[in-house]
Each structure stands twice: as C-alpha cells, then as structure tokens.
Amino acid sequence: MGPQESTHMYRRRVNRVIDHIKDHLTEPLPIAKLARLAHFSPFHFHRIFRSIVRCAGDIYKEERAWRYLFHAWLPGSGYQPADDPMMEVYRRHPLDIGWETFDIDCCLPVRPLRRR
C-alpha cells in the first residue's frame, strides 16, 4: 500500500470517528474507544487524528460546547432542535491563529418547543 492509499484509508477511519463523536455527544468518549473505532492503538490514533484533523488543541472543548447546548441550555430555553443541520462556523482561520487552538461558533437551529 502506497502513501496516498494509506492517507486515504486513515482519513476514512478518522471521519468514522468524527461521525461517532457527533452522534454520541451525550456519552463519555474515551480515547481508547475512539481508537478502537478507527482500528488504531490509542497512541497511534492520537497522532493520526491530530495530523489529519490538524487540530492540536483539545477536541473535547468542542464536544463540551455541544454538550452544553444540548444538556444545559436547550432544556430550559423553550426551544427544541429544528430539522435543519447543525454546523460549526470557524470565526478565524487556523492559519491566522495557529493550529493549537480554534475559534468556532456552534450553531444549533431551533424552533419553539411544542407542549404536549
């Protein structure tokens, strides 16, 4: 397997993990579990994830932001998630502020809560 094939395979594995993180924000996400999903050792996963995602900062800060939206803010807000997709908006490009950190807005489309 050549370098380009390896990179493509690693990207697919990391994308699988990113999808899992987004789908399981309410659950603990230990590195060992994420590494198993990608079929890497925890040490190798950390290195590969950082090189592919290009995020040397703590990805769990982003996860905590999403958890806050869903578990702290949303229940008392009088809103519920809308059917539109959620998104992250990068406020500043990582090349401008460095790969060690990122500055994002977590966008959660909402609609008024339906009372039953």
Side-chain angles (χ1 to χ4, degrees), residues 4-23:
Q4 288 180 335
E5 293 166 322
S6 294
T7 300
H8 181 69
M9 179 181 65
Y10 284 4
R11 284 185 191 280
R12 281 197 338 261
R13 291 180 182 185
V14 167
N15 284 336
R16 184 181 320 136
V17 170
I18 291 169
D19 290 341
H20 179 81
I21 290 170
K22 289 180 180 179
D23 291 340

mmCIF file of all heavy atoms in Angstrom, residues 4-23:
data_model
loop_
_atom_site.group_PDB
_atom_site.id
_atom_site.type_symbol
_atom_site.label_atom_id
_atom_site.label_comp_id
_atom_site.label_asym_id
_atom_site.label_seq_id
_atom_site.Cartn_x
_atom_site.Cartn_y
_atom_site.Cartn_z
ATOM 1 N N GLN A 4 -0.279 7.436 -0.537
ATOM 2 C CA GLN A 4 -1.570 8.060 -0.813
ATOM 3 C C GLN A 4 -2.728 7.148 -0.403
ATOM 4 O O GLN A 4 -3.735 7.615 0.118
ATOM 5 C CB GLN A 4 -1.687 8.435 -2.285
ATOM 6 C CG GLN A 4 -0.813 9.614 -2.653
ATOM 7 C CD GLN A 4 -0.955 9.969 -4.121
ATOM 8 O OE1 GLN A 4 -1.315 9.129 -4.943
ATOM 9 N NE2 GLN A 4 -0.654 11.210 -4.449
ATOM 10 N N GLU A 5 -2.564 5.855 -0.640
ATOM 11 C CA GLU A 5 -3.607 4.906 -0.238
ATOM 12 C C GLU A 5 -3.745 4.862 1.282
ATOM 13 O O GLU A 5 -4.844 4.808 1.815
ATOM 14 C CB GLU A 5 -3.291 3.511 -0.785
ATOM 15 C CG GLU A 5 -3.376 3.433 -2.300
ATOM 16 C CD GLU A 5 -2.729 2.164 -2.815
ATOM 17 O OE1 GLU A 5 -1.682 1.749 -2.264
ATOM 18 O OE2 GLU A 5 -3.265 1.588 -3.762
ATOM 19 N N SER A 6 -2.597 4.903 1.982
ATOM 20 C CA SER A 6 -2.625 4.906 3.453
ATOM 21 C C SER A 6 -3.317 6.148 3.979
ATOM 22 O O SER A 6 -4.151 6.078 4.884
ATOM 23 C CB SER A 6 -1.206 4.857 4.020
ATOM 24 O OG SER A 6 -0.604 3.637 3.707
ATOM 25 N N THR A 7 -2.986 7.290 3.408
ATOM 26 C CA THR A 7 -3.601 8.542 3.837
ATOM 27 C C THR A 7 -5.106 8.501 3.620
ATOM 28 O O THR A 7 -5.879 8.903 4.493
ATOM 29 C CB THR A 7 -2.978 9.738 3.088
ATOM 30 O OG1 THR A 7 -1.577 9.772 3.363
ATOM 31 C CG2 THR A 7 -3.608 11.048 3.516
ATOM 32 N N HIS A 8 -5.530 7.992 2.486
ATOM 33 C CA HIS A 8 -6.970 7.904 2.198
ATOM 34 C C HIS A 8 -7.660 6.978 3.204
ATOM 35 O O HIS A 8 -8.735 7.300 3.726
ATOM 36 C CB HIS A 8 -7.182 7.413 0.761
ATOM 37 C CG HIS A 8 -8.615 7.310 0.376
ATOM 38 N ND1 HIS A 8 -9.423 8.413 0.208
ATOM 39 C CD2 HIS A 8 -9.403 6.227 0.150
ATOM 40 C CE1 HIS A 8 -10.633 8.018 -0.114
ATOM 41 N NE2 HIS A 8 -10.656 6.698 -0.153
ATOM 42 N N MET A 9 -7.049 5.853 3.492
ATOM 43 C CA MET A 9 -7.616 4.910 4.446
ATOM 44 C C MET A 9 -7.682 5.542 5.844
ATOM 45 O O MET A 9 -8.688 5.427 6.538
ATOM 46 C CB MET A 9 -6.789 3.630 4.507
ATOM 47 C CG MET A 9 -7.318 2.616 5.492
ATOM 48 S SD MET A 9 -6.330 1.119 5.573
ATOM 49 C CE MET A 9 -4.792 1.757 6.226
ATOM 50 N N TYR A 10 -6.618 6.239 6.260
ATOM 51 C CA TYR A 10 -6.601 6.896 7.567
ATOM 52 C C TYR A 10 -7.688 7.959 7.647
ATOM 53 O O TYR A 10 -8.358 8.101 8.650
ATOM 54 C CB TYR A 10 -5.240 7.519 7.835
ATOM 55 C CG TYR A 10 -4.153 6.536 8.212
ATOM 56 C CD1 TYR A 10 -4.379 5.155 8.225
ATOM 57 C CD2 TYR A 10 -2.895 6.976 8.539
ATOM 58 C CE1 TYR A 10 -3.379 4.275 8.566
ATOM 59 C CE2 TYR A 10 -1.885 6.097 8.884
ATOM 60 C CZ TYR A 10 -2.129 4.753 8.896
ATOM 61 O OH TYR A 10 -1.148 3.873 9.235
ATOM 62 N N ARG A 11 -7.873 8.720 6.569
ATOM 63 C CA ARG A 11 -8.919 9.755 6.566
ATOM 64 C C ARG A 11 -10.308 9.131 6.732
ATOM 65 O O ARG A 11 -11.142 9.659 7.453
ATOM 66 C CB ARG A 11 -8.862 10.572 5.283
ATOM 67 C CG ARG A 11 -7.734 11.560 5.243
ATOM 68 C CD ARG A 11 -7.811 12.421 3.982
ATOM 69 N NE ARG A 11 -6.607 13.170 3.809
ATOM 70 C CZ ARG A 11 -6.327 14.294 4.460
ATOM 71 N NH1 ARG A 11 -7.190 14.775 5.319
ATOM 72 N NH2 ARG A 11 -5.198 14.925 4.248
ATOM 73 N N ARG A 12 -10.550 8.025 6.060
ATOM 74 C CA ARG A 12 -11.842 7.342 6.204
ATOM 75 C C ARG A 12 -12.058 6.897 7.652
ATOM 76 O O ARG A 12 -13.149 7.044 8.197
ATOM 77 C CB ARG A 12 -11.919 6.129 5.266
ATOM 78 C CG ARG A 12 -12.238 6.488 3.842
ATOM 79 C CD ARG A 12 -12.709 5.293 2.997
ATOM 80 N NE ARG A 12 -12.322 3.984 3.468
ATOM 81 C CZ ARG A 12 -11.287 3.258 2.993
ATOM 82 N NH1 ARG A 12 -10.544 3.735 2.016
ATOM 83 N NH2 ARG A 12 -11.028 2.065 3.473
ATOM 84 N N ARG A 13 -11.018 6.364 8.266
ATOM 85 C CA ARG A 13 -11.131 5.909 9.652
ATOM 86 C C ARG A 13 -11.379 7.082 10.606
ATOM 87 O O ARG A 13 -12.202 6.985 11.509
ATOM 88 C CB ARG A 13 -9.855 5.178 10.077
ATOM 89 C CG ARG A 13 -9.652 3.857 9.396
ATOM 90 C CD ARG A 13 -8.380 3.246 9.893
ATOM 91 N NE ARG A 13 -8.074 1.991 9.265
ATOM 92 C CZ ARG A 13 -7.053 1.228 9.627
ATOM 93 N NH1 ARG A 13 -6.249 1.603 10.614
ATOM 94 N NH2 ARG A 13 -6.825 0.100 9.006
ATOM 95 N N VAL A 14 -10.660 8.176 10.400
ATOM 96 C CA VAL A 14 -10.839 9.346 11.260
ATOM 97 C C VAL A 14 -12.221 9.950 11.041
ATOM 98 O O VAL A 14 -12.880 10.360 11.993
ATOM 99 C CB VAL A 14 -9.711 10.370 11.032
ATOM 100 C CG1 VAL A 14 -10.040 11.711 11.670
ATOM 101 C CG2 VAL A 14 -8.394 9.830 11.583
ATOM 102 N N ASN A 15 -12.691 9.988 9.811
ATOM 103 C CA ASN A 15 -14.033 10.505 9.548
ATOM 104 C C ASN A 15 -15.097 9.661 10.248
ATOM 105 O O ASN A 15 -16.102 10.187 10.721
ATOM 106 C CB ASN A 15 -14.305 10.587 8.052
ATOM 107 C CG ASN A 15 -13.602 11.747 7.408
ATOM 108 O OD1 ASN A 15 -13.279 12.733 8.063
ATOM 109 N ND2 ASN A 15 -13.352 11.639 6.119
ATOM 110 N N ARG A 16 -14.882 8.358 10.308
ATOM 111 C CA ARG A 16 -15.804 7.477 11.035
ATOM 112 C C ARG A 16 -15.855 7.882 12.517
ATOM 113 O O ARG A 16 -16.924 7.933 13.126
ATOM 114 C CB ARG A 16 -15.342 6.025 10.903
ATOM 115 C CG ARG A 16 -16.272 5.033 11.538
ATOM 116 C CD ARG A 16 -15.796 3.589 11.430
ATOM 117 N NE ARG A 16 -15.211 3.278 10.148
ATOM 118 C CZ ARG A 16 -14.080 2.569 9.988
ATOM 119 N NH1 ARG A 16 -13.432 2.109 11.028
ATOM 120 N NH2 ARG A 16 -13.611 2.312 8.794
ATOM 121 N N VAL A 17 -14.697 8.206 13.078
ATOM 122 C CA VAL A 17 -14.636 8.624 14.485
ATOM 123 C C VAL A 17 -15.329 9.978 14.683
ATOM 124 O O VAL A 17 -16.077 10.176 15.640
ATOM 125 C CB VAL A 17 -13.172 8.675 14.975
ATOM 126 C CG1 VAL A 17 -13.075 9.337 16.331
ATOM 127 C CG2 VAL A 17 -12.582 7.270 15.009
ATOM 128 N N ILE A 18 -15.094 10.913 13.775
ATOM 129 C CA ILE A 18 -15.736 12.223 13.876
ATOM 130 C C ILE A 18 -17.252 12.073 13.821
ATOM 131 O O ILE A 18 -17.976 12.703 14.603
ATOM 132 C CB ILE A 18 -15.214 13.172 12.778
ATOM 133 C CG1 ILE A 18 -13.756 13.526 13.063
ATOM 134 C CG2 ILE A 18 -16.072 14.430 12.680
ATOM 135 C CD1 ILE A 18 -13.064 14.244 11.927
ATOM 136 N N ASP A 19 -17.742 11.238 12.933
ATOM 137 C CA ASP A 19 -19.186 10.985 12.868
ATOM 138 C C ASP A 19 -19.696 10.395 14.185
ATOM 139 O O ASP A 19 -20.756 10.774 14.678
ATOM 140 C CB ASP A 19 -19.531 10.041 11.712
ATOM 141 C CG ASP A 19 -19.346 10.684 10.355
ATOM 142 O OD1 ASP A 19 -19.303 11.928 10.277
ATOM 143 O OD2 ASP A 19 -19.238 9.932 9.364
ATOM 144 N N HIS A 20 -18.927 9.483 14.749
ATOM 145 C CA HIS A 20 -19.308 8.868 16.023
ATOM 146 C C HIS A 20 -19.360 9.924 17.129
ATOM 147 O O HIS A 20 -20.301 9.936 17.936
ATOM 148 C CB HIS A 20 -18.322 7.758 16.401
ATOM 149 C CG HIS A 20 -18.647 7.114 17.702
ATOM 150 N ND1 HIS A 20 -19.601 6.131 17.833
ATOM 151 C CD2 HIS A 20 -18.158 7.328 18.946
ATOM 152 C CE1 HIS A 20 -19.678 5.754 19.091
ATOM 153 N NE2 HIS A 20 -18.815 6.467 19.793
ATOM 154 N N ILE A 21 -18.384 10.806 17.179
ATOM 155 C CA ILE A 21 -18.359 11.863 18.196
ATOM 156 C C ILE A 21 -19.613 12.727 18.078
ATOM 157 O O ILE A 21 -20.280 13.012 19.067
ATOM 158 C CB ILE A 21 -17.083 12.719 18.064
ATOM 159 C CG1 ILE A 21 -15.855 11.910 18.488
ATOM 160 C CG2 ILE A 21 -17.205 14.003 18.896
ATOM 161 C CD1 ILE A 21 -14.528 12.579 18.181
ATOM 162 N N LYS A 22 -19.939 13.125 16.870
ATOM 163 C CA LYS A 22 -21.112 13.982 16.675
ATOM 164 C C LYS A 22 -22.408 13.265 17.017
ATOM 165 O O LYS A 22 -23.361 13.894 17.473
ATOM 166 C CB LYS A 22 -21.152 14.493 15.236
ATOM 167 C CG LYS A 22 -20.073 15.515 14.960
ATOM 168 C CD LYS A 22 -20.128 16.006 13.535
ATOM 169 C CE LYS A 22 -19.039 17.029 13.282
ATOM 170 N NZ LYS A 22 -19.049 17.497 11.911
ATOM 171 N N ASP A 23 -22.448 11.952 16.814
ATOM 172 C CA ASP A 23 -23.661 11.184 17.096
ATOM 173 C C ASP A 23 -23.797 10.763 18.561
ATOM 174 O O ASP A 23 -24.848 10.279 18.970
ATOM 175 C CB ASP A 23 -23.717 9.923 16.225
ATOM 176 C CG ASP A 23 -23.926 10.238 14.753
ATOM 177 O OD1 ASP A 23 -24.401 11.351 14.442
ATOM 178 O OD2 ASP A 23 -23.605 9.368 13.919
#
